[in-house]
Structure formats: C-alpha cells, structure tokens
Amino acid sequence: MNNNIIDWKKYANHIFCITYLQNNRLDSIKKVFSNIGIDTNDNSFFSFIYDYEHCIFSEQHNEMKKLSFDFFNNHTMWEGNHLNYDKHEYVYYLALIIYRVLKIAQYFNYDRIIIFEDDIRFLKDIDYIKNNLELINTLDFDM
C-alpha cells in the first residue's frame, strides 16, 4: 500500500458526505476525497447524502423557527454567506440530515462511521491525518 494513501476502511465501516446540490460542489469534493484515498464510487463504503428534504419539512421548520425566535431574540444571518441561509434554518436541516445518516448507520449496523460535509478540506500532511485516525481508533466514544 502506498504510504501516502489512507486505508479508511481500517477506521470506519462507512463514510457519508452531506452535500447540497445547489452548491455544485460534487465534482470538486470527489477530487478532494480521491486525493486522500476515499473512493466515492465505492457504494459499499461511501455514500453522498443529498440535501433535498427542505420542502418536506418546511412546515415543521416554520414552527421551530417561531419557537426559537424568542430564545435567540433574532435570526442572525451569517456574514458573507452567499447562500443567505438563516442560521437556525441551517442547523435545523443539518440536524435532520444527520439524523437520517444515523438511522442509515443503525439499519446497516455500522459501528464506526465518518460524516463529512461537502466543504471539507484536508490537511496536506497525510501522516498527521493517519496518526490522528489511529489515536481516535483506539478510543471508545461517539463524536
């Protein structure tokens, strides 16, 4: 095995990547994963989870937004966010997507999963990544 490639199957049963189709990041994130040894075409080990449920949960989100408004006092917009996401909306939908990922992992009995978002950037030092994965692999926890 090439020393500059990470054997991700040593550290996880499955890798998920949450991607937002409207961002058009699919090609660039595939290249990023390929550079660190993750085969995005290996469906038995890697899955893209697409953000498409906004329309399904819009009514629940509106109710949550009303409840959270009093708690947070306002809907602060992230500075410079070109998608103009409301922070609460982003957190709400991300929570729903992560819940879906966790249910998939539960269904397939995955003991160890890794979840990335489509804007992930990896360190250039592959050995540093490997050393940290080795450290994490020795611990028994959920993160």
Side-chain angles (χ1 to χ4, degrees):
M1 184 166 107
N2 184 342
N3 216 15
N4 290 329
I5 300 294
I6 298 171
D7 180 9
W8 290 92
K9 292 182 180 180
K10 180 178 176 182
Y11 306 107
N13 302 111
H14 203 85
I15 294 176
F16 296 90
C17 179
I18 299 169
T19 188
Y20 304 92
L21 292 176
Q22 65 269 26
N23 288 349
N24 297 318
R25 292 184 180 152
L26 202 52
D27 290 336
S28 65
I29 194 62
K30 284 182 179 183
K31 183 177 179 183
V32 168
F33 283 130
S34 177
N35 289 341
I36 58 155
I38 296 175
D39 181 3
T40 59
N41 295 315
D42 181 356
N43 295 332
S44 67
F45 183 68
F46 182 90
S47 299
F48 281 108
I49 300 296
Y50 299 103
D51 175 29
Y52 61 86
E53 293 183 331
H54 284 58
C55 60
I56 297 172
F57 293 106
S58 61
E59 185 60 35
Q60 289 85 347
H61 172 255
N62 289 336
E63 291 302 313
M64 184 278 310
K65 201 175 202 179
K66 289 176 196 171
L67 293 172
S68 68
F69 185 78
D70 289 335
F71 181 76
F72 291 106
N73 287 328
N74 65 25
H75 288 87
T76 306
M77 302 300 277
W78 285 344
E79 299 268 336
N81 187 342
H82 70 283
L83 293 176
N84 208 20
Y85 270 118
D86 173 25
K87 186 186 287 188
H88 300 103
E89 183 176 358
Y90 173 80
V91 170
Y92 176 75
Y93 289 126
L94 183 59
L96 288 174
I97 294 166
I98 290 173
Y99 176 76
R100 187 171 75 217
V101 168
L102 294 175
K103 293 305 285 183
I104 292 168
Q106 180 184 36
Y107 178 81
F108 286 106
N109 294 316
Y110 296 142
D111 292 327
R112 291 182 163 287
I113 62 171
I114 299 174
I115 304 171
F116 295 113
E117 285 192 56
D118 62 3
D119 57 355
I120 187 79
R121 297 294 177 255
F122 291 96
L123 300 170
K124 292 182 181 184
D125 185 350
I126 298 295
D127 289 330
Y128 184 80
I129 297 170
K130 283 185 198 178
N131 290 339
N132 282 288
L133 286 169
E134 284 293 330
L135 175 65
I136 291 171
N137 209 31
T138 64
L139 304 174
D140 185 22
F141 68 95
D142 292 333
M143 180 167 82

